[in-house]
Amino acid sequence: MDSIPFNQPSIVGNELEYIRDTVKAGHTASDGSYTERVSEILRDEHHCADVLLTTSCTSALELAALLLEIQPGDRIIVPSFTFVSTALAFARQGAEIVFCDIEPNTLGLDPDHLAELIDGSVRAVIPVHYAGIACEIDSVRRIAEQGDCDIVEDNAHGLFGRYRGQPLGTFGRFSTLSFHETKNFICGEGGALVVNHQADVERAHVLLDKGTNRRAFLLGDVDKYSWQDFGSSFGLSDVLAAYLYGQLERRAEVLRRRRVIFERYQTLLSPHRESLGIRLPELPADRVPAYHMFYVLLPNQDVRDRTLLEMKRRGVTATFHYVPLHSSPGGQRFGVQPASCPVTEEISGRLLRLPFFNTLTESDIDRVVEVLVQVLGE
Ligand SMILES: *Cc1c(COP(=O)(O)O)cnc(C)c1O
């Protein structure tokens, strides 16, 4: 029997045709026709001022940090349970990183801890919707507003998810997306900055395009373009936008498929919860998930580590997830210490992610569950 990988990127529609199309037409730099088509889908989803495609979610976060003019000594708050980039993009501007713990049900920012951490030196809060399930974003927003801080949602997992009917990515000044090959919709490496306020749009384009007002020039607003501001080369190539458009065009199908996978895991594993002492993701009734992944919380870290090895030996690749940022060497160097995130530490040791990709079949899922239940039962 073939082993089941953790992730397997797939072609879901006309990606290859569209890529050929851009290369043949000769517009392969950023800002081409596929960039516009993708941006339109994402603007519709977010009902926002604008969406700018970037080379990655990391660069979209860097662009947000530049737009917020984060300076050395400013503080920003991130969950300790997240990917490095959530913090890195701001540390790069000299920000001091304050690590917030997560709440045990959604694995998103814990509002109570957040309220304790906020003070006058905090400029921004960066929530993550872990696994594509919204965190308590209304409470997070209220606390950030009281503290006069901006919100930048790191929405790498949550595209097309909802919180009380509202699209994830629309709760703050900016949000960021990832189209890395491990995400729901992919183009190899790619990302986007969602700009929720009209006042930020023009400057976002200048910073994206090497600090120039080239966009104003292309729109006919100025008769030549020149260096205006700081910035970098953050724009996504239209070749990759074409790849991404092929994926996003099939978004309904992809989401449906991922929902089926999620629900099959949930249904097959639910009866074993008590006997195996495991916990499954909770879906609060007021949220629509983006079905980014499926995780299981095992009784403790020893069991988790042994289960990973033993599943691998039986042909199923499961994996752990984030090492708490506050205790990592980078977190020690760039973070405000001491940081206390006991839930993050506990969850990080117990969490195991199961294979999750569009072409995973029903019988693959059954086999993954069978192996997991077998290993845990021994
Ligand atoms: C994947 C991921 C990123 C980084 O995305 P890139 O597009 O690879 O830069 C950032 N934050 C979170 C939460 C992620 O999962």
Side-chain angles (χ1 to χ4, degrees), residues 269-339:
L269 283 167
S270 284
H272 299 284
R273 273 182 301 196
E274 274 193 27
S275 59
L276 299 178
I278 58 176
R279 244 189 63 201
L280 305 178
E282 277 175 42
L283 295 184
D286 57 359
R287 289 161 229 200
V288 178
Y291 301 107
H292 177 51
M293 69 171 89
F294 194 90
Y295 67 81
V296 184
L297 294 172
L298 303 189
N300 59 53
Q301 179 154 8
D302 280 349
V303 174
R304 196 275 309 269
D305 293 346
R306 193 162 43 77
T307 305
L308 282 177
L309 282 173
E310 199 50 38
M311 287 180 79
K312 177 101 188 150
R313 222 176 51 79
R314 300 181 199 189
V316 175
T317 308
T319 177
F320 57 90
H321 213 185
Y322 307 128
V323 175
L325 287 185
H326 70 280
S327 60
S328 64
Q332 300 274 322
R333 179 167 160 202
F334 301 112
V336 174
Q337 300 292 346

Side-chain angles (χ1 to χ4, degrees), residues 127-264:
V128 174
H129 304 296
Y130 185 74
I133 299 167
C135 70
E136 287 298 341
I137 189 70
D138 258 359
S139 309
V140 168
R141 179 157 67 173
R142 198 173 49 247
I143 295 161
E145 269 167 12
Q146 280 163 5
D148 205 18
C149 303
D150 283 308
I151 289 181
V152 179
E153 289 169 86
D154 178 342
N155 197 25
H157 300 182
L159 177 58
F160 302 120
R162 295 277 188 285
Y163 178 92
R164 298 185 181 156
Q166 185 175 337
L168 304 189
T170 61
F171 288 83
R173 188 159 158 192
F174 302 107
S175 68
T176 62
L177 294 166
S178 176
F179 305 112
H180 184 266
E181 71 169 27
T182 52
K183 300 305 198 295
N184 286 12
F185 300 92
I186 66 173
C187 65
E189 298 272 4
L193 180 75
V194 174
V195 182
N196 284 317
H197 301 167
Q198 192 59 44
D200 287 316
V201 170
E202 192 180 326
R203 187 149 185 253
H205 280 278
V206 170
L207 269 54
L208 175 101
D209 207 352
K210 302 108 181 167
T212 72
N213 58 345
R214 197 175 70 99
R215 178 160 176 273
F217 169 72
L218 294 175
L219 292 172
D221 296 344
V222 293
D223 60 5
K224 53 185 177 306
Y225 75 89
S226 60
W227 186 12
Q228 304 289 322
D229 203 334
F230 43 58
S232 190
S233 181
F234 286 119
L236 186 73
S237 158
D238 213 54
V239 179
L240 294 178
Y243 181 172
L244 183 56
Y245 183 66
Q247 293 254 316
L248 285 173
E249 225 182 11
R250 300 291 167 91
R251 57 196 176 282
E253 211 174 302
V254 169
L255 286 169
R256 214 178 303 123
R257 182 67 213 141
R258 298 183 78 95
R259 179 177 178 169
V260 166
I261 296 169
F262 186 97
E263 288 178 347
R264 193 171 182 93

Side-chain angles (χ1 to χ4, degrees), residues 48-121:
C48 59
D50 208 353
V51 175
L52 283 67
L53 299 193
T54 60
T55 52
S56 65
C57 183
T58 305
S59 63
L61 288 161
E62 290 173 345
L63 184 50
L66 287 175
L67 284 161
L68 294 178
E69 303 202 23
I70 298 296
Q71 310 286 335
D74 288 343
R75 291 189 167 183
I76 64 133
I77 298 182
V78 304
S80 177
F81 191 65
T82 182
F83 189 64
V84 175
S85 303
T86 317
L88 174 68
F90 296 89
R92 209 178 162 221
Q93 292 299 113
E96 292 175 14
I97 310 300
V98 180
F99 294 106
C100 185
D101 209 355
I102 53 172
E103 41 155 27
N105 61 331
T106 63
L107 313 191
L109 278 180
D110 173 0
D112 293 335
H113 193 210
L114 178 64
E116 281 172 34
L117 292 173
I118 287 233
D119 65 24
S121 60

